[in-house]
Amino acid sequence: MSMAEAVLQGEIRAISRLISKIENGEPDALEQLKQLYQHTGNAVVIGLTGAPGAGKSTLTNQLISNYLEKGFKVAVIAVDPSSVFTGGGVLGDRIRMPQVHKNLYIRSLATRGYLGGLSKAIGKTIKVLDAAGYQRIIIETVGTGQSEIEIRNFAQVVVVVNTPNMGDDIQTLKAGIMEIGDIYIVNKADLPEADRTVSDLIKMSQIVGPKHGGWMPPVLKVIAADGTGVPELVAEIEKYYLYASSAGVLSMNKLAMAKNELMEELKEAILAEALQKLQENGKWEECSSQVAKGELDPWTGAEHLLKCLKQ
Amino acid sequence: MVLQSGEKKIRVLISKAGLDGHEVGAKVVARALADAGMEVIYTGLRQTPEMIVDTAIQEDVDVIGISILSGAHMFFLPEILKLLAEKNADDIPVIAGGVIPVEDIGELKKAGIKEIFPAGSTMQEIVSYVKKLYQERQD
Ligand SMILES: Nc1nc2c(ncn2[C@@H]2O[C@H](COP(=O)(O)OP(=O)(O)OP(=O)(O)O)[C@@H](O)[C@H]2O)c(=O)[nH]1
Ligand SMILES: [Mg+2]
């Protein structure tokens, strides 16, 4: 049985191995993915983003329980940063998800220096889990850098996790935050000031106005620590997904996602081919050292290399 | 190749089996392995053998490291090995550390635990042993 066939049967070891192959950039992974692709497109992908410590993992654990109870097969991809210095990392999101269930699969991915703040493997990992039959795929981002924006490229529903006591800062919150989420929650609503944070977020979302012409992102109070507000959150996630499907938002996003995916693959393939050629004929080293010595500026250098490629 | 950010990383699971609430030792080991460039999946306290084996398989780890202080190692460690075998995953090596009396070490190793690191083992010893195990699996 090929790896792809085993994945389609839901074999956990095959799924795990294939995700590792993807992470490690092994060429064989693409052959498997090609076989899996036609079986994808059934999962609802939910992105959770929010500052470090906001309670994303604790909330993910609650979503897991809720969806498992409803009979769904659930997968989680938890992304944690790799150290810039050592390349290693302690991936600790699972601490908050101490669950074993035949319908649950959890995978931790390190960013491995990927600039987007997610993992370079994220798109393909989603495809594997989707093909394996997981119906709800939850992605926990690192919550910093570009990850909040980048998650839009992969998730159909984006939930932004806030906490109380962001105080006056909320006004100066990163511009654009209100455009990222489909749903906003104020987690740790057991702490003081939760109501104020809720009303601040509502005010801000009113300034931004409804998304896609008809969806006013709701602001919900949640206590991930004990599950308060989680059924309401799940209901909103499902409601948004239905809205987005019927309003054509998802098919619009699909085209954007397809372009994004093709662009990434193409960039990589073209660059790899170009660099290989330039390294073989020595132009890459030649040009680099000229720029390093100050004999050539990098812009003329790049133009020169491009010309070499076209020959 | 210049572009491949994809590069094989050693992935290790560090788990605490048993009911005791001390995780300092396990955390120090996790940190040391991460500082050596590895990806360490850290699950925290009170893991059952089922949780440990499921996590190891889902995370596709190269090595499983178990920290035990509760004295229940003669139950937990063989149980983990048994479950790994049941799930066709007994190719994943298991090492253990914590409070494990010398007289039990022989029996645990005979059962299939690769190595035991009793209290007082250095981080360097653990890091290089994990690297060695990883290398052996590649060959
Ligand atoms: N008071 C309170 N604390 C909470 C709640 N939810 C989570 N926490 C605590 O917040 C801390 C961080 O929770 P995590 O779930 O690890 O947060 P996270 O966003 O996943 O953190 P990172 O992955 O490190 O970014 C933990 O100590 C949780 O126990 C809540 O509803 N109320
Ligand atoms: Mg987390």
Side-chain angles (χ1 to χ4, degrees):
Chain A
M1 192 165 38
S2 78
M3 201 170 215
E5 281 162 350
V7 167
L8 289 173
Q9 314 233 322
E11 267 185 40
I12 305 297
R13 274 211 106 178
I15 295 170
S16 302
R17 287 256 169 83
L18 181 50
I19 294 174
S20 297
K21 277 180 186 288
I22 292 168
E23 276 201 282
N24 299 337
E26 293 173 37
D28 172 40
L30 290 185
E31 293 314 310
Q32 308 300 326
L33 281 162
K34 285 177 194 169
Q35 291 179 49
L36 293 176
Y37 192 77
Q38 57 173 316
H39 301 277
T40 62
N42 305 310
V44 177
V45 184
I46 302 155
L48 288 188
T49 185
K56 299 179 293 295
S57 300
T58 313
L59 185 64
T60 300
N61 190 46
Q62 295 286 356
L63 293 178
I64 291 170
S65 304
N66 192 292
Y67 278 124
L68 285 178
E69 246 168 65
K70 290 190 163 76
F72 286 108
K73 281 190 78 175
V74 185
V76 173
I77 306 169
V79 187
D80 271 315
S82 305
S83 157
V84 196
F85 302 106
T86 66
V90 176
L91 317 183
D93 291 317
R94 284 187 90 112
I95 297 172
R96 316 257 172 232
M97 310 171 197
Q99 302 208 46
V100 170
H101 193 289
K102 65 177 186 353
N103 289 340
L104 172 65
Y105 180 91
I106 305 175
R107 177 69 176 226
S108 314
L109 295 184
T111 53
R112 296 196 181 179
Y114 179 66
L115 293 177
L118 281 168
S119 154
K120 187 157 167 274
I122 199 113
K124 297 187 181 89
T125 300
I126 292 169
K127 293 283 191 299
V128 173
L129 295 169
D130 187 349
Y134 290 95
Q135 298 153 302
R136 294 292 179 275
I137 302 175
I138 304 167
I139 303 172
E140 176 182 342
T141 75
V142 296
T144 51
Q146 286 292 304
S147 66
E148 291 170 343
I149 298 156
E150 186 120 327
I151 188 68
R152 275 253 71 105
N153 292 332
F154 302 99
Q156 291 143 340
V157 185
V158 175
V159 178
V160 178
V161 183
N162 303 277
T163 50
N165 280 324
M166 299 191 303
D168 299 330
D169 290 350
I170 196 155
Q171 300 300 339
T172 54
L173 214 64
K174 272 171 272 179
I177 184 88
M178 294 313 287
E179 283 145 46
I180 289 162
D182 304 312
I183 297 166
Y184 292 84
I185 69 160
V186 176
N187 186 36
K188 310 195 186 184
D190 51 314
L191 301 179
E193 302 282 325
D195 287 322
R196 187 167 146 219
T197 309
V198 169
S199 66
D200 283 352
L201 282 168
I202 291 175
K203 262 182 242 154
M204 284 182 64
S205 70
Q206 277 164 350
I207 295 171
V208 176
K211 300 179 66 159
H212 319 296
W215 178 262
M216 199 61 201
V219 181
L220 307 173
K221 269 203 286 189
V222 173
I223 305 174
D226 68 9
T228 305
V230 172
E232 290 81 358
L233 171 60
V234 170
E236 287 294 338
I237 290 172
E238 298 297 315
K239 195 169 137 195
Y240 177 73
Y241 180 75
L242 285 179
Y243 166 79
S245 316
S246 62
V249 179
L250 290 185
S251 42
M252 214 167 68
N253 285 355
K254 257 189 199 151
L255 186 61
M257 284 183 196
K259 283 184 179 164
N260 182 57
E261 243 170 349
L262 278 174
M263 182 71 85
E264 290 302 314
E265 295 300 323
L266 205 57
K267 253 198 263 181
E268 191 159 316
I270 290 174
L271 197 52
E273 203 180 300
L275 278 172
Q276 197 189 356
K277 204 167 159 191
L278 292 171
Q279 275 164 345
E280 273 168 15
N281 65 17
K283 293 283 179 200
W284 176 251
E285 279 307 315
E286 185 189 312
C287 209
S288 300
S289 57
Q290 280 177 333
V291 173
K293 283 187 210 142
E295 296 167 5
L296 190 67
D297 67 80
W299 305 283
T300 312
E303 280 167 10
H304 177 66
L305 289 177
L306 199 60
K307 249 184 232 144
C308 290
L309 281 172
K310 281 180 185 159
Q311 278 166 11
Chain B
M1 208 163 59
V2 195
L3 261 178
Q4 291 290 356
S5 75
E7 173 204 343
K8 179 75 179 112
K9 289 266 174 210
I10 305 179
R11 286 170 70 88
V12 187
L13 170 63
I14 296 292
S15 253
K16 279 251 7 179
L19 294 175
D20 68 280
H22 306 283
E23 60 177 335
V24 178
K27 278 186 169 166
V28 172
V29 172
R31 176 50 50 206
L33 294 170
D35 286 346
M38 304 180 201
E39 288 178 0
V40 183
I41 290 80
Y42 184 70
T43 55
L45 296 166
R46 300 192 186 88
Q47 299 286 300
T48 63
E50 286 79 10
M51 290 162 97
I52 290 168
V53 169
D54 265 27
T55 301
I57 293 173
Q58 291 175 2
E59 299 286 359
D60 193 31
V61 296
D62 302 293
V63 179
I64 301 174
I66 306 294
S67 160
I68 299 197
L69 303 171
S70 61
H73 49 275
M74 295 309 270
F75 163 71
F76 276 109
L77 295 175
E79 184 68 16
I80 289 167
L81 293 172
K82 194 186 103 197
L83 285 175
L84 281 171
E86 276 175 24
K87 303 210 166 178
N88 279 327
D90 46 356
D91 54 298
I92 309 175
V94 180
I95 60 176
V99 182
I100 295 175
V102 196
E103 56 268 30
D104 290 340
I105 292 182
E107 195 172 327
L108 287 170
K109 279 186 149 179
K110 217 187 295 164
I113 300 295
K114 290 285 178 202
E115 192 54 273
I116 308 278
F117 294 92
S121 308
T122 68
M123 289 309 121
Q124 246 156 354
E125 283 171 318
I126 299 175
V127 166
S128 39
Y129 190 76
V130 169
K131 281 187 180 160
K132 195 184 111 195
L133 279 177
Y134 172 77
Q135 215 47 57
E136 281 171 12
R137 275 189 100 210
Q138 302 305 299
D139 301 337

